[in-house]
Amino acid sequence: MAKCICHVDVENIFIGAGCNRVVNGAAWGPDDLVAFGVQNAVAIFSPQQARILLTLPGHKDFVKCVEFVPKHQPLRADGFTLEERFLLSGSADGVIILWAYLRLENKWRKVMDFPSSHEKAVTCIAGVTLSVSEALFVSCSSDCTVWIWHALFSLQAAGECKISFCQSISLGSRAVEAASLAILPESNNVILAMGGLDNHIYLHVRDMIGQFTPACVLKGHQDWVRSLDFSLPMAESDGHALYLASSAQDRYIRIWKISSKYLCSAGNSKKGTMNSECFSLKMYIDGPVFKTESTLWQVSLESLLVGHEDWVYSVRWKPPVKKYVEDDTGVHCNLHQPLSVLSASMDRTMMIWEPDSRSGLWMNVVTVGELGHSALGFFGGLWSPEGDTILAHAFSGSFHMWWNVSLGGSDWQPQLVPSGHSAPVVDVAWAKTGQFLLSASHDQTTRLFSPWDWSRLDSAVKRSSWHEIARPQVHGHDFNCITVLRGKGNHAYVSGAEEKVARVLEAPVAFLETLQHTVERENDGKEKVGWEDVKALGANMSALGLSQKPIYMQGVQNTGAAQTSIQSLETIPAALPRMLTAPPLDEHLAWNTLWPETHKLYGHGNELFSMCCDHKGKLLATACKAQSATVAEIWLWQVGSWRPVSRLHSHALTVTQMEFSHNDEDPFKLVSRVEAHKRIIWTCSWSPCDRFFATGSRDKFVKIWFVKNIDSVCTVTLAVTFPPFKSSITALAWDKRIHFQEYVLAVGMEDGLLELWKVRPPLSEKMELGMAESLQPLSSISRFDVTCFIQFDVFSCHVASVNRLVWMDNFNQEDIHKEETNRDLLLASCGMDHTVRLFNIKFS
């Protein structure tokens, strides 16, 4: 009886993604996890590991806002907390979803969609906990409404949660962009602050019957209000007070103080009276007064913070800290609210503001950022639960994190964070040595990911982790395709974008030196990449953002010489490439890791759409968008000389994907034409033995085609049609090894799901024994056995169309029949959900 694949272990070891370009697109929860929107999904990353853990599928449109509930670590006298933490997310189609995180098992689940949806995008979500299992939420929408929700959480894990709609508030024709909820000091009254496009802040208070009624309007900002955040109630000499921080596009931050008037004078207990002497000098403007039940509340402008030079998109109070108080009954632990505010601005800085201990005036005590070319401004800033780390997400989708490394001081140092594309990722390709993965995206960048070997920094640390280590190309057009050049010589690749030119780029010295710090992979007899003759240290971006000019270094033999040569230049270039001994931060990636452009390939009449390189590294095939047969031709280029050697005519419309067979026959001519599918064919892939290939189409079918080549006559015949899928097929990839005489085909679909299918072709007895003669073509077709044996977990899959699947095939073609059952395989994928994913797959 022949062996077969019995068990498969699939581990999602890497996810690369950037944050959605929205103000409220990220939140840092009490369990030290960060949630952020990635296209239609919510991604969860661990700041401690600098790694995205998983993505939560469920939304059908762009995720606009996320918020944890509770926002801070709850503190109860009996120490009781819920077994689950909760997360809210809102999307551009008006839908709000409640997620739950079971901390003990480290598992996420989708709890429910909210019972009704806004008519337009949800732009902001805020919440406040009323008890350990009860909370109020507010959701703001572009439809100019604010909805109030009441939630009851289950005390047990995976229990039922109840969400009920309470109220709808409309502030006219101007949308609300920011909101915050809090409980007024020494009361059970909930206060709601709202701000938006009319420059005002509206305060509403919850009455006895649970409805929010208008309290007052705070005026002062001269442009759109973008962020609001309440502090916890604070005990002061004249009673308890609540602070509200607001920021706007007028570049200013305002701190508002809300205090009960009758508590201002210790000797005057009559409600409704106020001793003017109780106010400090810094409270120089008296604001409006509002009443809740029998208490009058005074709103005053505490401070106006001036320092940012552009729109201030985010303002956050520092999380409360535990404070131990001793009295006659013992030692008690309370939450203490620090007077510290974090702001993030489009001027590429984050600032921490605190009142001066002597004068009481609010001052800027910490400034981080100023990232020059890379960040393009910050959309939001977040505190860690402990308040010792701050995180910003930028316009480019990148994260930037600083940690205060000084105990009791202020020394904020940048830290490593996950990174990735901020637009659909259209193509991925493995290096010819398998050391890195290259990706291209509509965000006009190509990015390079590799496993970093941490033992080179510390021999006691025996681990590796995947990170972005270079950004070879930052372009002025959206990319459509890339291909890595194989064969001897330096690492190089070709890219095609929304232009008529294919561009060839080659690895510089700085990158090749950095690559020595990554995890080396077995070459299985392949020649090592030599780079002694490489003269370019790095590259500079041109003024138009298209070509990348090399930075040449004469006689560079080592890193020290390279650094010396840089300093000796009369004019230091804008980019300063160098060898890296740790994974780089985004500010270095965006400017100092570019690859020089060596050639431009002209010929196509429209923008390039697909390309591929043969397995020997001698030919490059390119195709462009086309609506006629004359434009749909495939150009073949000779690698090295970069001369066009042939133009292949066959298709009438755009060639969506190409792939060379492993035998790399030359010259090329049309040998067969088959009407294969009823709808557009998105993907194709050759089997490792080159005797058959697979195609996938919008018609939701995968078909395997048998190739017969007898007496130089080639025919293509349908061998098997897979059962219909639920979604269109957009990506296919054969694993290049044969496992127990079975082939493995990876299938990616338009809905983002991934599957592995095993294919047992009609093999002769010699093939069952794995003999070389079995590679001879068969003269007839028998039945193919196809079986889906693994469906990837939905939390590991894409949430939008899979654009490309690529196996890491770093071995010689003659070894495809070696059954190495203990060898892990790597499968890379990319999709329209802005993510690059890497799976470690083990067959047994």
Side-chain angles (χ1 to χ4, degrees), residues 390-416:
I390 54 178
L391 177 73
H393 58 98
F395 178 83
S396 62
S398 60
F399 284 104
H400 306 266
M401 188 168 69
W402 290 265
W403 175 42
N404 187 7
V405 299
S406 175
L407 295 176
S410 181
D411 185 11
W412 296 83
Q413 296 297 322
Q415 302 296 308
L416 185 65

Side-chain angles (χ1 to χ4, degrees), residues 116-154:
S116 55
S117 303
H118 286 277
E119 294 180 359
K120 295 184 179 180
V122 180
T123 56
C124 176
I125 296 176
V128 63
T129 53
L130 306 179
S131 68
V132 69
S133 62
E134 185 181 9
L136 280 179
F137 303 133
V138 57
S139 59
C140 308
S141 172
S142 300
D143 60 12
C144 302
T145 62
V146 177
W147 288 3
I148 312 297
W149 309 84
H150 180 264
L152 287 175
F153 303 125
S154 171

Side-chain angles (χ1 to χ4, degrees), residues 437-486:
L437 180 70
L438 189 67
S439 63
S441 168
H442 285 170
D443 67 2
Q444 303 183 353
T445 66
T446 62
R447 301 181 187 232
L448 194 149
F449 305 94
S450 182
W452 195 267
D453 187 0
W454 292 100
S455 64
R456 296 179 183 268
L457 293 177
D458 186 354
S459 58
V461 179
K462 302 296 183 182
R463 71 178 180 92
S464 64
S465 55
W466 282 79
H467 300 279
E468 182 183 355
I469 66 169
R471 203 164 293 172
Q473 202 171 358
V474 179
H475 205 41
H477 297 289
D478 294 358
F479 286 104
N480 287 330
C481 52
I482 56 170
T483 186
V484 168
L485 299 180
R486 301 183 179 273

Side-chain angles (χ1 to χ4, degrees), residues 618-787:
K618 295 182 179 180
L619 287 177
L620 170 73
T622 59
C624 67
K625 288 186 176 181
Q627 294 182 344
S628 64
T630 56
V631 182
E633 59 187 0
I634 299 171
W635 285 55
L636 296 182
W637 309 80
Q638 186 179 54
V639 175
S641 67
W642 300 113
R643 294 183 295 105
V645 295
S646 181
R647 295 162 67 174
L648 308 180
H649 297 268
S650 173
H651 294 281
L653 296 175
T654 303
V655 177
T656 56
Q657 187 180 355
M658 299 179 290
E659 183 176 302
F660 281 95
S661 63
H662 300 86
N663 55 26
D664 291 341
E665 294 181 356
D666 189 26
F668 288 88
K669 62 180 180 179
L670 180 62
V671 296
S672 180
R673 181 184 178 95
V674 179
E675 295 294 332
H677 293 268
K678 296 180 180 179
R679 305 288 299 276
I680 184 174
I681 300 174
W682 282 120
T683 179
C684 59
S685 181
W686 279 100
S687 69
C689 65
D690 287 341
R691 297 185 309 151
F692 42 88
F693 62 89
T695 57
S697 169
R698 184 176 286 173
D699 63 10
K700 304 180 182 180
F701 283 102
V702 172
K703 296 183 180 182
I704 295 180
W705 303 85
F706 181 71
V707 180
K708 291 191 296 184
N709 192 350
I710 302 177
D711 299 331
S712 300
V713 177
C714 182
T715 59
V716 176
T717 311
L718 179 63
V720 64
T721 300
F722 284 38
F725 291 81
K726 295 181 179 180
S727 183
S728 300
I729 308 302
T730 55
L732 294 172
W734 290 95
D735 177 19
K736 303 309 179 185
R737 287 187 183 271
I738 300 176
H739 308 269
F740 305 116
Q741 292 83 46
E742 291 179 331
Y743 295 85
V744 174
L745 180 65
V747 180
M749 288 165 271
E750 191 175 31
D751 58 7
L753 297 181
L754 299 170
E755 296 179 356
L756 293 183
W757 287 68
K758 56 184 179 182
V759 179
R760 181 179 286 271
L763 304 176
S764 64
E765 293 182 359
K766 290 184 178 181
M767 175 62 96
E768 293 289 347
L769 297 175
M771 298 179 64
E773 291 83 352
S774 61
L775 293 178
Q776 299 297 323
L778 300 177
S779 59
S780 63
I781 298 178
S782 302
R783 181 177 180 272
F784 276 65
D785 291 328
V786 295
T787 307

Side-chain angles (χ1 to χ4, degrees), residues 286-316:
D286 289 341
V289 176
F290 65 91
K291 183 178 180 181
T292 61
E293 299 175 4
S294 59
T295 304
L296 287 175
W297 299 89
Q298 173 76 56
V299 183
S300 303
L301 180 63
E302 172 78 2
S303 186
L304 177 66
L305 310 185
V306 181
H308 285 294
E309 299 177 356
D310 208 335
W311 298 352
V312 184
Y313 268 139
S314 174
V315 60
R316 292 287 184 271

Side-chain angles (χ1 to χ4, degrees), residues 60-211:
K60 298 180 180 179
D61 208 338
F62 197 78
V63 175
K64 303 278 286 186
C65 54
V66 292
E67 184 64 78
F68 278 96
V69 178
K71 184 162 52 173
H72 306 303
Q73 184 72 33
L75 180 65
R76 285 171 51 96
D78 55 8
F80 177 79
T81 59
L82 293 178
E83 296 184 21
E84 292 180 310
R85 295 277 194 264
F86 294 93
L87 174 69
L88 294 165
S89 59
S91 57
D93 56 2
V95 174
I96 303 173
I97 296 180
L98 177 67
W99 312 88
Y101 171 60
L102 182 57
R103 294 170 290 155
L104 297 179
E105 299 182 11
N106 193 28
K107 291 183 179 180
W108 286 84
R109 68 181 179 97
K110 179 181 177 181
V111 180
M112 61 182 300
D113 291 349
F114 273 37
S116 55
S117 303
H118 286 277
E119 294 180 359
K120 295 184 179 180
V122 180
T123 56
C124 176
I125 296 176
V128 63
T129 53
L130 306 179
S131 68
V132 69
S133 62
E134 185 181 9
L136 280 179
F137 303 133
V138 57
S139 59
C140 308
S141 172
S142 300
D143 60 12
C144 302
T145 62
V146 177
W147 288 3
I148 312 297
W149 309 84
H150 180 264
L152 287 175
F153 303 125
S154 171
L155 298 178
Q156 304 298 324
E160 182 182 2
C161 298
K162 296 182 179 179
I163 304 292
S164 57
F165 175 78
C166 299
Q167 184 182 356
S168 176
I169 301 174
S170 177
L171 298 179
S173 60
R174 300 295 183 93
V176 174
E177 294 291 326
S180 185
L181 285 167
I183 299 177
L184 287 170
E186 298 183 312
S187 73
N188 293 322
N189 297 109
V190 179
I191 185 170
L192 166 65
M194 300 172 289
L197 308 190
D198 63 356
N199 311 344
H200 301 330
I201 300 172
Y202 298 87
L203 297 185
H204 284 53
V205 178
R206 194 182 187 206
D207 57 23
M208 297 289 292
I209 61 175
Q211 295 293 299

Side-chain angles (χ1 to χ4, degrees), residues 325-375:
V325 179
E326 185 176 1
D327 56 19
D328 296 338
T329 61
V331 179
H332 304 279
C333 182
N334 299 319
L335 288 180
H336 171 68
Q337 174 68 67
L339 279 174
S340 184
V341 170
L342 173 69
S343 60
S345 169
M346 287 297 288
D347 65 4
R348 300 187 295 274
T349 64
M350 283 203 303
M351 296 182 179
I352 297 178
W353 307 81
E354 294 177 359
D356 183 74
S357 58
R358 294 184 179 181
S359 65
L361 297 177
W362 284 75
M363 307 291 291
N364 170 27
V365 296
V366 174
T367 300
V368 296
E370 302 175 342
L371 303 176
H373 303 283
S374 61

